[in-house]
Amino acid sequence: MAPEAAAPGAAAAATTAPAAVSRFDSVGHPGGGELLQSAVLGPDGRPRNVRVWLPPQYAKEPSARFPVVVMHAAAPRKTADAEVPDVFEGIGSALQSGKTRPFILVAPEAPNGTAHPCELVAAAPAAVADDAALRATVAASFRTLPPGPASWGTLGVEGGAPCAAAAGLARPDLYGAAAAVSGRYDAAALTQTGAEAPAGSAAKLLLAAAKADTAGLDAARKLQASLKAGPGPAAKADVRISDNVQDYTPDRERLRLVRQAAQFLAEALAKAS
């Protein structure tokens, strides 16, 4: 998943919605990178806040294009970094270790209308997974690699984990890898989601939880088993479980889990590209 030399127009050409360059304003420098924010149209046609974190390498390598990871939020009208404020430190730490190649993190505001947006994935997983306006705007506004499974992935932590799992299972033709951290899952609904994925593509999914999170690990194993026994593309999903993280506090464990998820996504997308 190494940055590649810029190819004019390549990113915009690969999108499925009209490209729209938005003005993104800088709002901070967490994790050694730069955090920007703008209003971008959502799937319902209404503007919503989108935050974009650029890794330190983005400014240092002006001719390079970068992979993208979309991070899902669990609360309406919030971006994921508001729920997981240490996410940038986790990713920045992974980059500093030298084991993770840089990527751009995109955090769109979750839709309103329900207290738990990720519970909607059982009813309409494709609506969560396919956000054409977001892909087009990010690809037109930043030096990204073209949207597609070789360079775009998805991430969810705790309440956002089911959204990431649904996105990866529903559209492996759009997202080459998905990482779901400390989540609780509707195994039957997500298995059906995986079964209805486009033919000819196989999802790559990491389900990670702390060693002491017995409920989270149980939910992950049930989803893994359900997918393996599921029909069609569901059974072809490459599902890995991480159960080895333990630390002194839940916050430190979450930081390590985010770092692990970043490493998984970087490695999976590097192989895809």
Side-chain angles (χ1 to χ4, degrees):
M1 200 173 68
E4 295 182 0
T15 61
T16 56
V21 178
S22 291
R23 174 183 172 180
F24 282 81
D25 297 317
S26 181
V27 294
H29 293 81
E34 183 177 14
L35 183 62
L36 304 100
Q37 179 173 300
S38 184
V40 178
L41 292 180
D44 61 359
R46 298 177 180 178
R48 43 57 193 284
N49 287 329
V50 172
R51 288 193 159 194
V52 174
W53 182 80
L54 304 177
Q57 293 82 356
Y58 191 90
K60 296 175 182 177
E61 304 174 26
S63 64
R65 292 189 180 275
F66 294 80
V68 175
V69 171
V70 178
M71 185 172 179
H72 297 274
R77 296 303 182 192
K78 284 190 176 182
T79 55
D81 60 293
E83 303 169 328
V84 191
D86 51 3
V87 63
F88 305 116
E89 282 67 28
I91 295 174
S93 174
L95 294 178
Q96 291 173 8
S97 72
K99 297 179 181 179
T100 302
R101 295 179 179 180
F103 56 80
I104 294 170
L105 185 74
V106 177
E109 185 181 84
N112 203 359
T114 176
H116 304 286
C118 285
E119 290 182 355
L120 296 176
V121 300
V128 176
D130 187 7
D131 197 336
L134 178 69
R135 292 198 309 274
T137 299
V138 170
S141 303
F142 299 96
R143 300 194 316 273
T144 72
L145 291 173
S151 54
W152 281 52
T154 184
L155 169 66
V157 177
E158 297 173 354
C163 276
L169 290 168
R171 296 303 301 268
D173 57 324
L174 296 178
Y175 300 102
V181 175
S182 303
R184 306 294 187 266
Y185 312 101
D186 184 332
L190 288 172
T191 298
Q192 185 61 35
T193 295
E196 295 173 355
S201 56
K204 294 181 178 65
L205 177 61
L206 173 70
L207 303 173
K211 195 171 185 178
D213 183 6
T214 54
L217 290 173
D218 182 60
R221 292 178 180 127
K222 286 181 177 177
L223 176 56
Q224 183 187 48
S226 180
L227 287 167
K228 186 176 181 180
K236 297 180 181 179
D238 177 5
V239 183
R240 304 180 190 180
I241 292 179
S242 169
D243 59 1
N244 60 359
V245 167
Q246 58 181 356
D247 215 314
Y248 297 109
T249 67
D251 286 346
R252 285 177 61 88
E253 287 181 336
R254 185 171 63 182
L255 191 68
R256 292 182 61 182
L257 286 165
V258 168
R259 184 166 63 229
Q260 193 175 77
Q263 292 171 346
F264 166 80
L265 290 166
E267 179 182 353
L269 295 178
K271 289 180 179 178
S273 60

